[in-house]
């Protein structure tokens, strides 16, 4: 909208568009986070030999911390934005952006350092598991909140936000190449090469965060100085022209939560996203297990490596196409289509059976593609919720980081529930316990007793993995379609909300969103 002219000027003056710099931050997160998701459970279970009780205690504490730190950091970041425009001094958009970038430049390198703590045994497995998870997630939360908040702070129009998200997907796809490389150095018997690989990734990430955040800060510092000069001139002109507006009390956390509880679209979106987060992390945690027990006898190790890499890279590349569909049909419609496709593919795989090896390969990869592709689009929906919250509650500035944090408060438990529920279901229905070294033999015995009619409820491990593979996405898709049908922030209502936010901002300050 009003940002196009500013975009051209900044792109020419610095040589690199802001959208490219913003998207590159996704690269420095994804090269670490994909490796973390794929190997942290396997590392502690198979290499450090963590016991079951310590694993469950660690995941439970992590569940609590993982849920609370998002709204906590969001509140600390955005509490000054919750008042109305008349209740205090104006905070310009460049100043908000600079605040986000300062947090990224500080916490990005610390996030990379916390990633390294997983791959060296420095304490008892249970203690290290707990400390590493909480440290890593704390820094990841600060980085994610500020990076996602910039999506709402840098742009208002759907076109500009889609463009920003496009570059995020492109760089995330590049970051997923770390999964290809990790598979070639991963060896439970010799962990040294994998450790060196992780150190190299962490160094690249830390340097990248430092360089890109400094480039962006230097750009917006110029804008902030101009805005401060404009504000001083306006203040000088307005002296003696009327009484000062009586300042209102700042919005408290309790008042904000009451406002949020009345935000129906937020509640329905959070319900849907809880299921989505669960499904995404279920796929991440159990992908190696599905490869081992469903396909290892039918495909080579190199084919498994290719399938693993494709499943991590394809969602980001496919998301580039999804974003073009979003520009044409809207985010709401595209997400609904993805839920329907996920349901249809899962039902088709269930009917085909576990013996169709090539179909299994396609389904395992496509399941991640469509699930992760949906996750990449949801940030666009959250930015729309930021706009609605800004307009309905008449904020001074959009509290984007806080709203992202409140979404995470409701949805991040799915990240912890995924491995807990998955391992529990596998143990209940097959007798296979990932914490017991002899569980494969126990599962084989359960299979034999099942065949002889002595154990009516256990199933072979391979069949149990197959049922887990297909019934989880079927259940998730049905629940998500139900919640998504109640979400109303699309079409004319969304257009009206965006028009009101842009009109409000233009009435106070010119739009400075530089894409």
């Amino acid at each position: 909208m009003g940002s196009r002219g500013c975009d051209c000027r900044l792109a020419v003056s610095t040589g690199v568009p802001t959208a490219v710099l913003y998207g590159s931050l996704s690269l420095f997160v994804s090269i670490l986070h994909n490796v973390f998701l794929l190997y942290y459970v396997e590392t502690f279970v198979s290499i450090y030999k963590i016991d079951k009780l310590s694993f469950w205690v660690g995941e439970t504490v992590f569940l609590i911390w993982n849920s609370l730190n998002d709204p906590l950091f969001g509140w600390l970041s955005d509490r000054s934005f919750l008042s109305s425009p008349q209740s205090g001094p104006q905070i310009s958009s460049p100043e908000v952006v600079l605040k986000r970038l300062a947090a990224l430049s500080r916490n990005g390198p610390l996030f990379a350092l916390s990633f390294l703590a997983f791959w060296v045994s420095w304490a008892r497995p249970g203690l290290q598991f707990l400390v590493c998870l909480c440290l890593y997630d704390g820094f990841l939360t600060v980085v994610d909140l500020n990076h996602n908040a910039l999506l709402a702070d840098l742009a208002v129009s759907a076109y500009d936000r889609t463009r920003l998200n496009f570059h995020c997907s492109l760089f995330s796809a590049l970051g997923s190449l770390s999964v290809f490389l990790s598979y070639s150095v991963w060896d439970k018997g010799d962990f040294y090469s994998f450790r060196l690989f992780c150190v190299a990734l962490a160094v690249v990430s830390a340097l990248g965060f430092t360089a890109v955040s400094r480039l962006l800060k230097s750009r917006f510092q110029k804008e902030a100085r101009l805005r401060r000069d404009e504000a001083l001139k306006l203040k000088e002109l307005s002296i003696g022209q009327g009484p000062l507006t009586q300042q209102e009390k700042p919005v408290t956390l309790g008042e904000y939560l009451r406002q949020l509880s009345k935000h129906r679209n937020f509640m329905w979106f959070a319900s849907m996203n809880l299921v989505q987060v669960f499904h995404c992390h279920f796929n991440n945690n159990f992908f190696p297990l599905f490869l081992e027990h469903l396909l290892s006898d039918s495909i080579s190790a190199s084919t498994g490596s290719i399938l693993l890499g494709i499943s991590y890279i394809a969602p980001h590349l496919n998301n580039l196409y999804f974003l073009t569909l979003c520009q044409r049909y809207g985010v709401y419609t595209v997400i609904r289509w993805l839920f329907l496709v996920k349901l249809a593919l899962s039902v088709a795989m269930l009917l085909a059976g576990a013996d169709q090896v090539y179909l299994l390969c396609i389904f395992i990869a496509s399941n991640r593609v469509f699930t992760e592709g949906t996750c990449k689009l949801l940030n666009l929906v959250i930015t729309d919720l930021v706009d609605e919250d800004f307009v309905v509650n008449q904020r001074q500035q959009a509290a984007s980081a806080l709203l992202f944090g409140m979404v995470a408060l409701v949805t991040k438990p799915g990240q912890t529930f995924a491995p807990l529920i998955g391992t529990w279901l596998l143990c209940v229905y097959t007798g296979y316990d990932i914490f017991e070294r002899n569980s494969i033999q126990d599962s084989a015995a359960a299979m034999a007793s099942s065949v002889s009619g002595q154990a009516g409820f256990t199933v072979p491990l391979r069949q149990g993995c197959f049922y887990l593979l297909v019934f989880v996405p079927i259940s998730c898709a049905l629940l998500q379609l139900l919640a998504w049908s109640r979400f109303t922030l699309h079409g004319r209502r969304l257009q009206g909300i965006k028009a009101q936010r842009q009109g409000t901002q233009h009435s106070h300050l010119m739009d400075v969103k530089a894409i």
Side-chain angles (χ1 to χ4, degrees):
M1 301 293 178
S3 60
R4 305 294 170 78
C6 192
D7 176 21
C8 297
R9 176 173 58 81
L10 286 175
V12 172
S13 64
T14 61
V16 182
T18 304
V20 174
L21 293 175
Y22 172 79
S24 68
L25 294 171
S26 297
L27 170 67
F28 309 127
V29 174
S30 63
I31 59 174
L32 302 186
H33 196 53
N34 287 332
V35 173
F36 161 78
L37 290 174
L38 193 59
Y39 295 110
Y40 90 93
V41 173
E42 186 73 7
T43 297
F44 276 91
V45 170
S46 301
I47 297 176
Y48 300 156
K49 310 298 183 184
I50 188 173
D51 61 277
K52 183 191 294 187
L53 178 61
S54 297
F55 179 82
W56 281 72
V57 169
E59 288 286 358
T60 302
V61 174
F62 174 56
L63 166 65
I64 299 171
W65 170 242
N66 194 24
S67 301
L68 295 180
N69 61 17
D70 290 86
L72 172 63
F73 295 145
W75 173 258
L76 294 175
S77 173
D78 287 4
R79 64 184 184 275
S80 60
F81 303 158
L82 295 179
S83 55
S84 66
Q86 292 79 27
S87 63
Q90 288 292 317
I91 303 173
S92 68
S93 295
E95 290 174 334
V96 174
V97 172
L98 286 173
K99 186 176 181 181
R100 311 281 190 216
L101 293 173
L104 287 171
S105 65
R106 288 192 307 268
N107 293 283
L110 293 175
F111 162 68
L113 186 63
S114 68
F115 168 78
L116 291 178
F118 283 93
W119 318 117
V120 179
S121 179
W122 49 267
R124 294 178 60 185
L127 176 63
Q128 182 177 349
F129 184 69
L130 176 61
V131 173
C132 285
L133 277 180
C134 291
L135 273 178
Y136 177 84
D137 186 69
F139 290 117
L140 176 63
T141 296
V142 177
V143 169
D144 269 347
L145 278 180
N146 285 280
H147 186 235
N148 291 332
L150 282 173
L151 182 62
D153 295 330
L154 291 173
V156 175
S157 72
Y159 174 87
D160 289 339
R161 285 177 178 172
T162 301
R163 186 181 171 194
L164 286 169
N165 211 350
F166 178 91
H167 285 85
C168 285
S169 296
L170 187 61
F171 281 100
S172 294
L174 292 176
S176 297
L177 291 174
S178 64
V179 174
F180 270 117
L181 300 175
S182 70
Y183 201 80
S184 63
V185 297
W186 171 255
D187 185 354
K188 297 178 186 178
D190 183 9
F191 211 43
Y192 182 72
S193 298
F194 183 78
R195 284 175 176 145
L196 289 180
F197 173 73
C198 291
V199 170
L201 290 181
V203 169
V204 171
S205 178
L207 293 177
F209 271 113
T210 302
V212 171
S213 59
R214 284 183 179 178
L215 283 173
L216 285 170
K217 280 199 293 185
S218 65
R219 174 172 301 182
F220 282 95
Q221 280 169 349
K222 299 175 183 177
E223 290 290 332
R225 283 195 294 268
L226 289 174
R227 291 312 165 97
R228 282 195 294 268
D229 292 342
E230 291 176 3
L232 286 174
K233 291 178 181 178
L234 288 173
K235 185 177 180 181
E236 291 173 359
L237 292 172
S238 63
I239 292 176
Q241 293 189 6
L244 294 174
T245 305
Q246 183 180 3
Q247 293 195 4
E248 303 171 10
K249 291 183 179 180
V251 176
T252 64
L253 179 59
E255 291 170 337
Y256 177 76
L257 292 176
R258 281 194 293 273
Q259 292 172 351
L260 205 60
S261 66
K262 299 176 182 178
H263 195 167
R264 291 182 67 255
N265 284 320
F266 169 84
M267 302 303 290
W268 285 115
F269 172 81
S271 302
M272 179 275 294
N273 199 19
L274 171 63
V275 181
Q276 186 66 26
V277 170
F278 169 84
H279 192 198
C280 286
H281 285 273
F282 175 85
N283 286 339
N284 290 329
N285 295 149
F286 290 92
F287 195 96
L289 187 73
F290 292 148
L291 284 183
E292 179 181 356
H293 295 293
L294 290 174
L295 296 174
S296 61
D297 295 335
S298 305
I299 63 174
S300 64
S302 59
T303 304
S305 175
I306 293 173
L307 189 64
L308 183 66
I310 289 174
S311 72
Y312 275 82
I313 295 176
H316 303 291
L317 297 177
N318 210 34
N319 195 45
L320 303 180
Y321 173 66
F322 293 157
L323 288 170
T324 61
L325 293 179
C326 289
Q327 289 180 331
R328 181 178 300 180
Y329 301 105
V331 180
Y332 174 86
T333 301
V334 173
I335 291 176
R336 185 171 180 272
W337 288 348
L338 289 174
F339 291 155
L340 291 170
V341 169
K342 178 167 68 175
L343 178 61
L345 288 177
S346 302
V347 172
M349 190 69 247
L350 176 63
L351 296 176
D355 296 328
Q356 305 295 325
V357 175
Y358 293 109
L359 286 180
L360 264 179
C361 290
I362 295 172
F363 177 75
I364 290 176
S366 65
N367 187 31
R368 272 192 52 82
V369 168
F370 288 110
T371 303
E372 293 291 333
T374 304
C375 287
K376 305 304 176 187
L377 298 179
L378 295 184
N379 281 348
L380 292 174
V381 182
I382 300 176
T383 59
D384 292 338
L385 291 170
V386 170
D387 295 338
E388 188 176 38
D389 176 72
F390 174 84
V391 170
V392 171
N393 296 297
Q394 298 180 344
R395 307 288 189 208
Q396 175 184 351
Q397 279 287 339
S400 45
L402 180 54
L403 194 63
F404 272 97
M406 297 309 296
V407 169
L409 173 66
V410 182
T411 61
K412 267 200 171 180
Q415 182 175 337
T416 302
F417 287 145
L420 296 182
I421 294 177
T423 54
W424 176 75
L425 287 173
L426 201 62
C427 184
V428 167
Y429 289 106
T430 69
Y432 177 72
D433 191 339
I434 64 173
F435 300 98
E436 299 294 336
R437 308 278 93 78
N438 62 343
S439 61
I440 294 181
Q441 289 85 349
D442 293 342
S443 183
M447 178 181 68
S449 62
S450 177
V451 172
S452 62
Q454 296 175 4
F457 293 101
T458 57
V459 296
L461 177 57
R462 186 173 187 275
Q463 193 68 23
C465 287
F466 176 74
Y467 286 150
L468 205 61
L469 176 68
V470 295
F471 279 119
V472 166
I474 288 174
S475 303
C476 290
L478 291 174
L479 291 173
Q480 288 174 304
L481 285 169
L482 175 63
W484 200 232
S485 65
R486 307 300 299 272
F487 188 80
T488 61
L489 188 59
H490 56 89
R492 291 183 178 178
R493 175 168 175 78
L494 179 59
Q495 293 173 5
I497 289 291
K498 287 187 176 296
Q500 289 182 65
R501 178 176 178 184
Q502 289 175 321
T504 301
Q505 289 189 330
H506 278 273
S507 67
H508 294 283
L509 292 169
M510 288 176 57
D511 190 12
V512 297
K513 307 299 187 282
I515 307 308

